[in-house]
Amino acid sequence: MERADIAIIGTGPAGVSAAITAKVRGKTVLLFGSRELSSKLTKAHKIQNYPGLPDIDGAQLAQAFKKHLDVLEIPITEKQVTAVYAMGGYFGIQTPDAMLEASSVILAGGVVMGKTFPKEDELLGRGVSYCATCDAHFYPGKTVAVLGYNAESCREANFLAETAGRLLYFPVVPHEVAVNDHVQVINERPIAILGQTHAEGVQTEQNTYAVDGVFVLRDAVAPDKLVPGLAVEGAHVRVDANMATNLSGCFACGDLAGKPYQYIKAAGQGNVAALSAVEWLAKQKK
């Protein structure tokens, strides 16, 4: 695949707005996210402050967004983005089965809610992983834990079970658990990851389980984990008025860029981020 001008991560109002503006400005776009768009958007009962669309509900607004993307022939890539690397002149977009490239990046994935587990940050890359497809080959015949949050994490657990000797699945939040017979489901709430220099176990409210690796499979990866070196303030990415982050060529918008969490604000920031990215790309060619 050729290098895209702009990679946009997230298909909520901010990401969709950024993709539309970038395409209108003649840029090639890689749009990552769900084809169903943002679940936060689609579940909204009524939206009363989106100009020109009084009393529209979230599902209707999502359909309007989809139609706009279709009209402009902007496809949505549903590959999970597990990391974004600033490579000096371009960005590497890591997915489970390929490394894609873009000259600039717009982060629009929304706010990752909830705290990390104790020792999760310290042991990331040392037995703690966020991508089963990327790291399953490290655990042939070993005991692996999956801290799962959704149906996708169940599918990842099934994949891991093909390699691991033993697979323990912990549903962190309530969801339908659909795993195969090679996966042992532990219906206990995990409260910590154990280990000093490498992940060695999972502690629940009731017991402790010895493991060789831990996969934390949330709906999204926290921005500073997704993009090494990215400056954050709490759950938000630090941006300026142009939606630029501390990394040259990387922009952020929407809920990820701070409060208020409003659909119209997110869409406006997506527009600004795309225009800023277009301007940044033009400067690189001079």
Side-chain angles (χ1 to χ4, degrees):
M1 180 180 289
E2 295 183 0
R3 184 179 299 173
D5 292 321
I6 306 174
I8 300 166
I9 302 171
T11 50
V16 170
S17 175
I20 289 168
T21 298
K23 186 65 180 288
V24 168
R25 293 298 298 268
K27 301 304 176 184
T28 56
V29 173
L30 272 175
L31 178 59
F32 294 92
S34 169
R35 291 192 181 94
E36 299 306 313
L37 306 188
S38 162
S39 59
K40 179 182 176 183
L41 171 64
T42 57
K43 292 178 181 179
H45 177 64
K46 185 177 290 187
I47 302 167
Q48 295 181 306
N49 68 338
Y50 208 97
L53 300 172
D55 294 329
I56 193 170
D57 64 34
Q60 292 170 326
L61 186 57
Q63 286 301 316
F65 285 171
K66 288 181 183 178
K67 182 178 180 180
H68 203 155
L69 292 172
D70 289 342
V71 167
L72 293 179
E73 298 182 342
I74 302 173
I76 295 174
T77 300
E78 290 196 301
K79 293 178 182 290
Q80 180 191 12
V81 176
T82 57
V84 177
Y85 300 106
M87 305 297 289
Y90 73 97
F91 290 85
I93 316 297
Q94 179 71 62
T95 70
D97 58 1
M99 177 74 82
L100 306 178
E101 296 181 3
S103 297
S104 62
V105 171
I106 296 175
L107 306 175
V111 176
V112 177
M113 306 303 291
K115 297 180 180 179
T116 58
F117 292 100
K119 287 299 184 74
E120 178 181 337
D121 292 338
E122 296 92 327
L123 298 176
L124 182 62
R126 293 185 291 168
V128 173
S129 175
Y130 295 141
C131 178
T133 307
C134 305
D135 295 335
H137 63 280
F138 290 122
Y139 301 97
K142 297 184 178 182
T143 300
V144 175
V146 170
L147 311 188
Y149 286 73
N150 51 36
E152 178 61 27
S153 56
C154 293
R155 291 189 285 272
E156 293 279 275
N158 287 336
F159 170 77
L160 274 167
E162 297 175 8
T163 301
R166 184 184 182 208
L167 198 293
L168 308 179
Y169 188 88
F170 298 83
V172 181
V173 297
H175 63 275
E176 183 180 352
V177 177
V179 293
N180 61 41
D181 294 339
H182 300 290
V183 179
Q184 180 182 355
V185 179
I186 309 293
N187 287 306
E188 300 174 11
R189 191 171 76 88
I191 58 175
I193 296 170
L194 305 176
Q196 295 301 317
T197 61
H198 192 278
E200 298 175 350
V202 172
Q203 182 179 347
T204 72
E205 292 178 330
Q206 294 87 6
N207 297 292
T208 298
Y209 296 86
V211 299
D212 300 298
V214 179
F215 288 79
V216 185
L217 304 181
R218 298 186 179 89
D219 294 321
V221 179
D224 56 333
K225 307 295 190 305
L226 183 70
V227 188
L230 187 69
V232 298
E233 295 175 343
H236 304 127
V237 176
R238 187 186 302 161
V239 295
D240 64 15
N242 296 316
M243 302 292 107
T245 72
N246 64 304
L247 300 177
S248 181
C250 179
F251 305 84
C253 53
D255 289 358
L256 191 65
K259 296 180 178 180
Y261 300 150
Q262 294 283 314
Y263 302 122
I264 184 59
K265 171 260 193 181
Q269 286 190 341
N271 173 262
V272 173
L275 292 174
S276 296
V278 169
E279 182 178 358
W280 183 85
L281 289 168
K283 289 180 180 178
Q284 307 313 299
K285 294 180 180 180
K286 291 182 179 180

